Amino acid sequence: MKGSSGRLHALRFESQRFRLLTIVVGCFLISLTFLLSSRPDATVFSTLSPRASLEEARMPAIKTLHRSSSSTGLTRDFHVDILPRQGDTHAHLQQSVDQTAEKTEWVKDTVIMQESTDAGEGSEEAEAAERVTADSGDEAAPAVADEDNAVQTTAAVETTSTTARPDQPVEEKKQQLPMKLQDGGEPARTPEQTVTTHSVDRHPLCDFSDFRTDICDFAGDVRMAANSSEYVLVVDPAESGQTASHKVRPYPRKGDKTCMGRVTEITVRATADAASAPRCTRTHDVPSVTFSIGGYTGNIFHDFSDVIVPLYNTVQRYRGGVQLVMANVASWWLVKYDKLLRELSRHAPIDLAKAGAAGEVHCFPHAVVSLRAHRELIIERERSLDGLATPDFTRFLRGALSLPRDAPTRLGDGTGRRPRLLIISRRRTRLILNLDAVVREAEEVGFEAVVNESDVANDIEQVGKLINSCDTLLGVHGAGLTNMMFLPPGATMVQVVPWGGLQWIARMDYGEPAEAMGLKYIQYEIAVAESSLKDKYPAGDEIFTNPTGLHKRGFMFMKQTLMDGQDITIDVNRFRPVLQQAFDNLAK
């Protein structure tokens, strides 16, 4: 009896353990089912890189941005899912959404975007939001009209749905933020989050989060139907619910309606219906990169800031094994920059319009639509997928054009050679009226002074060799100063800033890029007495008492009145210390 009671007790204990185990397993299965049904796109355990781990704790799964617009009285909430994104060895974790406030003022100066179009509001910095750097410069190419610089915060992209794309073969790729629409259908923009993961999940075809450019990056069965300016990614039928369609203008001035109106719109879509996808007429075994040379090209500043510098940043990783596809092609542009294009790609570029007229369908294993652009003439190492920076680009430039000098002349180096100062002479606007006096002053300081007229038709190799032979470059604010990129590192660039509160634009377009290139930079801001405006307006006019207050009238007013509307007579006595500083820089 006692033995039977013990066995009964043991059976009851085993039964309790079994019920407990059943409950635990059941709870686990219910939780797993709920998790998978509520987040089918969530994969995985990600491994943050050491660089990213500092930010990990600050990355909630969903961030809500609350923004109020005083001009409209509207308040909007933006809900943005933040998913892990894969990156290569140079991938980095960019700033989280709650850091964007720190960069607001910089973005105003650089992005040329504004929340309100009320002309009665805004400071000098806010007016930068209105400005398109269309004439940082000089003569535009034939058929390029004067730039209308009114800019709205409208996206150059229409999103009809969101999707995911396969990771690129060979390299680790990035998952980009899915974009949810604001009121009115405009994509909400948030900083890109980059982490290294172990998954191979698809992610959105296009990234709209950057303030300067929208970019699409996808791999697999990619077909480019040139006649419709369309890229089609054929996906597995099992993923038919993950298809999408986007429209992108592949030029890095998004938000500028005038500029982007000159850029061909590219459609990027995914489909699970292979039978309806265009049939290949030519298959390539290298990736394609598609971009436009429309927009504001024809001005050397925009040639480099909008196309060549971002193109280098985008395609250098392929070491020439990339097919360039160009929209809005101008044959003179291809001739002018032929040597640079040949260094970036071993393949003849495809003219999208000509390929479309011929009914061609080109197929690629991987495609990038648009270029990765940072700031004006600048590549930021921390944002580059390959860890590139501005000095890498200028080194590439010197190599492509066979420019011999990597360092300026040093005083007392035993050669007896006088350092050369090149003065960029403008032909129509912002003229230096006493150029001869400036040349004499420079020679008295110790320079060999050379004067050169900047012209859009100049051969880029000849210009590069002339600039590279010099140790200091001097000029009035304008596109000709872009030639500073040919100077040897350590040389000096002197920018003469016209009257009118233009210091911010001078630094943004040429001062900061010069420093990023490893040049020594001097900014000379003229006084009222040095400006021809004193002969056009009475002494008490607002143009002298509060010039920055005039910026609220818009960039076209600034351009016509404060830039193209004045010439300069440099006070050589006031300017001599600037020349002396440039000369002394060569002793260091």
Side-chain angles (χ1 to χ4, degrees), residues 134-205:
D135 166 292
S136 288
D138 299 334
E139 300 76 26
V144 176
D146 288 340
E147 293 80 3
D148 173 9
N149 299 282
V151 179
Q152 307 293 328
T153 51
T154 54
V157 162
E158 290 178 21
T159 304
T160 58
S161 62
T162 53
T163 189
R165 70 165 177 82
D167 290 334
Q168 299 174 14
V170 182
E171 302 174 71
E172 287 184 351
K173 293 302 166 189
K174 288 186 163 186
Q175 287 188 333
Q176 303 181 7
L177 297 181
M179 304 307 300
K180 296 200 173 181
L181 297 182
Q182 307 176 15
D183 298 343
E186 179 183 351
R189 308 184 195 287
T190 62
E192 179 181 37
Q193 311 296 328
T194 305
V195 297
T196 301
T197 77
H198 295 303
S199 83
V200 291
D201 289 349
R202 292 184 181 275
H203 51 84
L205 296 173

Side-chain angles (χ1 to χ4, degrees), residues 479-502:
L481 295 182
T482 309
N483 290 306
M484 65 185 171
M485 67 182 65
F486 303 118
L487 286 170
T492 298
M493 205 273 276
V494 180
Q495 178 174 199
V496 177
V497 183
W499 174 261
L502 303 176

